[in-house]
Amino acid sequence: MDLAFTPQDIAFRDEVKAFVKANLPQDIADKVAHGKHLVRDDHMRWQQALGRQGWLVYTWPKKHGGPGWTVTQRYIFENVCADMNAPGIIPFGSKMVGPVIYTFGSEEQKARFLPGIRESSVWWCQGYSEPGSGSDLASLRTRAVREGDHYVVNGSKTWNTMGHWADWIFCLVRTDASAKPQEGISFLLIDMKTPGITVKPIIMADGGHEVNEVFFDNVKVPAENLVGKEGEGWTYAKFLLANERLGIAAVPQSKRGVDTLKQIARSETQGGKPLIEDQDFRNKLADLEIQVTALEYTELRALSAMAAGGAPGPEVSFLKIRGSEIQQRISELAVEAVGYYAMPYHPALLWHGANEEPIGPAYAHIAAPRYFNARKTTIYGGSNEIQRNVISKMVLGL
């Protein structure tokens, strides 16, 4: 794995910087920089700009409409976007269901669904977890019964991210109740405007509306929306989750988080001196930065293996575990750094246009909401306990 940038890589980095500078709206960059909630239009404006450039689906091969970038180009793109306060690309279309469709879907499904994902004209969400089926996803109970040329879906999904903005949802459903748990599951694509679908909000600790419950009451889904073969949805789900866990590592965002921590530590004081000069806090920062660097190299090894023709495998569980733990650690140190200023609860300050004055420094009010919100990172995408089981079984052979 050669980490040295070539002149071509440097030219590409300059191209990405110029594009982001010219196309990322300043109001969106400001929201990201200050930890403000984004609305649907913010994501769509940025993603559609990327789509027009052909960069939204930057992980896709050329034959499916992607740019066919090298591992190095992907690395450069992600880091430049994070450094310039671009919103993270919503992964449900471009990094999750899109690759499932172009890998396992029919030619008709590819022609129908991939253009909307590439252009960000269609918003996708995920229907995996259920009230009694989170980490034990194979126990899901949402049923899809075949009736002629369509399926009738009944059940519910929970922790559905941004489903209140979505046009379509990809769902794991049980099509055979008599089969073994993993063998009776299928992968359906469902229009969110279909009668019988109800979306109810789950308000997070920071006051934001990020996740939802989704209920299906006799929802009719055309049989042509079945991806691949009936009963093989578990195979497609594992493929999707491997791609999801690769992205959960969020290395560029964690690098930016460490830089922000350093800035806070230079502004805050401890014993009359800048917190950055406190040896105990410096040790914590140094340990965190080493962890982020180690995670980055691990991710690069995984990407290099993919560039050589491999696919994300069970080893990406390492990335999910360490990446999520690092994100939590960043939020913990931010709360420690700002101290008592993290205590006031002002959810309105997380929205653009709020006219309340923060108590303490402008960066302090975001520390506690981010800390509480980050509790979810070790659970979503497959809990870290489950990831350790995957590693022990599939990687270590235990």
Side-chain angles (χ1 to χ4, degrees), residues 260-261 263-265 267-270 275 281 330-344 359-369 371:
T260 300
L261 273 176
Q263 294 171 18
I264 293 173
S267 300
E268 294 297 312
T269 58
Q270 176 80 11
L275 183 60
F281 196 82
I330 290 171
S331 70
E332 291 166 3
L333 287 182
V335 171
E336 181 178 335
V338 302
Y340 291 120
Y341 286 128
M343 295 179 66
I359 298 175
Y363 53 73
H365 72 275
I366 191 64
Y371 169 82

Side-chain angles (χ1 to χ4, degrees), residues 43 90 92 123-125 160-166 210-212:
H43 291 287
I90 303 302
F92 304 110
W123 189 295
W124 285 85
C125 66
N160 164 267
T161 304
M162 300 176 183
H164 54 299
W165 293 341
E210 181 181 349
V211 293
N212 310 272

Side-chain angles (χ1 to χ4, degrees), residues 224-356:
E224 65 193 30
N225 290 6
L226 173 74
V227 175
K229 297 179 180 179
E230 187 174 290
E232 295 189 6
W234 189 252
T235 298
Y236 315 143
K238 290 191 295 183
F239 173 87
L240 183 148
L241 285 170
N243 283 285
E244 179 184 10
R245 289 163 187 161
L246 185 63
I248 287 175
V251 175
Q253 289 75 20
S254 290
K255 290 166 65 177
R256 187 176 66 193
V258 171
D259 289 339
T260 300
L261 273 176
K262 291 179 179 178
Q263 294 171 18
I264 293 173
R266 293 187 183 100
S267 300
E268 294 297 312
T269 58
Q270 176 80 11
K273 295 181 179 180
L275 183 60
I276 194 73
E277 296 179 13
D278 179 82
Q279 191 60 54
D280 182 56
F281 196 82
R282 286 170 65 92
N283 289 343
K284 294 174 182 178
L285 269 178
D287 176 72
L288 178 61
E289 192 160 21
I290 290 169
Q291 291 185 43
V292 173
T293 301
L295 179 67
E296 182 174 33
Y297 277 74
T298 302
E299 182 181 53
L300 288 170
R301 284 196 294 270
L303 292 173
S304 294
M306 292 171 61
E315 67 279 356
V316 299
S317 291
F318 288 111
L319 296 173
K320 197 279 173 178
I321 293 171
R322 297 303 295 133
S324 59
E325 291 175 345
I326 286 170
Q327 291 165 50
Q328 290 184 344
R329 184 58 174 157
I330 290 171
S331 70
E332 291 166 3
L333 287 182
V335 171
E336 181 178 335
V338 302
Y340 291 120
Y341 286 128
M343 295 179 66
Y345 180 62
H346 285 295
L349 292 175
L350 301 179
W351 293 97
H352 182 69
N355 56 12
E356 294 183 42

